[in-house]
Amino acid sequence: SQKNDENGNCSGEGIEFPTTNLYELESRVLTDHWSIPYKREESLGKCLIASTYLARLGLADSDENCKRFMDRCMPEAFKKLLTSSAVHKWGTEIHEGIYNMLMLLVDLVAERVKQDPIPVGLLGVLTMAFNPDNEYHFKNRMKVCQRNWAEVFGEGNMHAVSPISTFQKEPHGWLVDLVNRFAELGGFSAIQSKLNSEDIELGAISALVQPFGVCAEYLNSSVVQPMLDPVIHKMIKYVQNVEEKDLKDKRLVSIPELLSGIKLLCMRFQPDLVTAVDDLRLDILLRMLKSPHFSAKMNSLKEV
């Protein structure tokens, strides 16, 4: 198989991360006057494709440049593409280019989440990409799906669907595409098996739940609810049983965030539990406030 050509493009097995593209991307993203490339053959596309390839081989975290891209440059690039007010001025070609970049992001997270450790940072970027309220999805909320997902999963078995009544909600077809693509690549199954593992930390559970929480109203309950219900009940029970001595544990910082993700899922799948989750959130914050541990107090204040 071929090695890299002079532009640092990957082909075949002799893969190296395209460092030249990473440097170029950093100079374009990490600046006040940014301009982010949105074509597959440009820097962001090349770095995403290379990262996915390395993730498939289990090498994404051990490659220094790939890790640098995933930890710093990539989250910032997507933050700007999805949440900047400039989104509303861009033309169709740019929006379609960003859609393609988001699809590459989904490919990367779906590959990486199948391995350990759980990629908390990448899941944060996925949460941003699945959030229907960001500027990008708001701007494109009337778009319909680009693929017929019933052909992929079978009629009624899609993981995400546009709301039935268009009077109520916009179709958000591009968002539905992203979630279904994640499912098609095994992302949902990978997250389910991670959530079911015994020794998983709270912060990791929170990171795994957030992407589904933000887009819960577009999830197909008949497919996704059986997968998430056990987690909802398990986490509520866990938080109810937290003891005073546990409150000083740094890892408990994730509880409020986890509960807010669980609440969003409950609003979609378990409406009768929403009040209980709200009460639990307030209860744990009050307990953290009363705790003698300074960090617990400060985290509680921040949440309030």
Side-chain angles (χ1 to χ4, degrees):
S1 69
Q2 251 173 290
K3 293 284 182 200
N4 290 10
D5 63 21
E6 66 279 8
N7 298 323
N9 300 335
C10 317
S11 55
E13 316 239 324
I15 184 169
E16 274 179 46
F17 193 80
T19 319
T20 326
N21 291 114
L22 175 61
Y23 295 153
E24 191 226 338
L25 193 60
E26 286 179 340
S27 69
R28 292 179 65 169
V29 171
L30 308 171
T31 169
D32 292 339
H33 305 291
W34 48 272
S35 80
I36 299 168
Y38 54 86
K39 291 183 177 158
R40 218 184 146 86
E41 64 279 5
E42 293 178 318
S43 294
L44 179 57
K46 281 185 175 172
C47 289
L48 283 165
I49 290 166
S51 301
T52 306
Y53 190 85
L54 287 167
R56 200 170 290 136
L57 299 173
L59 302 171
D61 287 19
S62 56
D63 183 297
E64 193 184 324
N65 289 309
C66 180
K67 192 154 173 37
R68 177 168 150 179
F69 167 69
M70 293 191 301
D71 289 351
R72 186 161 171 255
C73 189
M74 186 192 74
E76 187 59 28
F78 280 108
K79 184 179 172 191
K80 285 173 169 159
L81 291 174
L82 296 172
T83 66
S84 151
S85 55
V87 166
H88 300 280
K89 298 187 214 129
W90 297 333
T92 310
E93 186 198 340
I94 297 179
H95 280 282
E96 288 172 353
I98 297 169
Y99 170 89
N100 294 332
M101 293 302 102
L102 286 166
M103 280 293 183
L104 292 178
L105 167 70
V106 164
D107 291 2
L108 168 58
V109 183
E111 279 303 330
R112 178 59 192 79
V113 82
K114 291 170 186 167
Q115 292 146 14
D116 291 321
I118 290 163
V120 172
L122 273 186
L123 288 161
V125 185
L126 188 71
T127 302
M128 198 165 34
F130 279 3
N131 185 350
D133 297 330
N134 66 36
E135 301 290 340
Y136 177 80
H137 284 311
F138 179 75
K139 167 86 175 167
N140 294 297
R141 64 195 183 281
M142 298 312 293
K143 295 281 197 294
V144 293
C145 291
Q146 303 277 305
R147 278 179 72 186
N148 180 353
W149 293 103
E151 287 178 1
V152 179
F153 297 107
E155 199 59 59
N157 292 325
M158 294 83 79
H159 286 65
V161 284
S162 293
I164 294 160
S165 161
T166 40
F167 300 113
Q168 239 176 342
K169 283 263 183 260
E170 296 81 7
H172 270 290
W174 283 6
L175 171 65
V176 170
D177 281 343
L178 293 176
V179 179
N180 279 321
R181 174 70 177 154
F182 188 67
E184 182 187 21
L185 295 169
F188 274 76
S189 319
I191 283 184
Q192 187 175 13
S193 67
K194 291 272 188 279
L195 285 169
N196 290 334
S197 56
E198 283 307 306
D199 51 349
I200 182 168
E201 284 199 343
L202 266 185
I205 296 173
S206 178
L208 291 165
V209 164
Q210 299 303 329
F212 302 137
V214 289
C215 65
E217 57 192 317
Y218 298 93
L219 296 176
N220 181 359
S221 52
S222 62
V223 174
V224 181
Q225 188 170 350
M227 168 187 147
L228 293 175
D229 269 358
V231 183
I232 292 173
H233 292 296
K234 186 171 153 189
M235 287 302 103
I236 290 174
K237 199 166 173 195
Y238 175 88
V239 178
Q240 283 168 338
N241 292 330
V242 167
E243 294 178 18
E244 291 310 312
K245 65 177 175 15
D246 303 327
L247 289 175
K248 66 173 185 287
D249 190 329
K250 292 244 183 336
R251 288 169 300 190
L252 289 197
V253 175
S254 315
I255 283 186
E257 185 191 39
L258 171 63
L259 287 175
S260 63
I262 295 284
K263 180 188 172 178
L264 291 169
L265 293 173
C266 286
M267 286 164 75
R268 176 79 177 91
F269 302 129
Q270 299 266 7
D272 48 329
L273 286 177
V274 172
T275 314
V277 173
D278 266 342
D279 290 347
L280 196 53
R281 286 169 80 189
L282 287 169
D283 177 56
I284 199 88
L285 290 180
L286 185 58
R287 287 173 62 194
M288 285 165 82
L289 263 182
K290 288 177 173 172
S291 152
H293 308 292
F294 180 74
S295 63
K297 276 189 194 327
M298 293 315 291
N299 284 318
S300 175
L301 280 171
K302 195 172 74 181
E303 279 302 317
V304 171

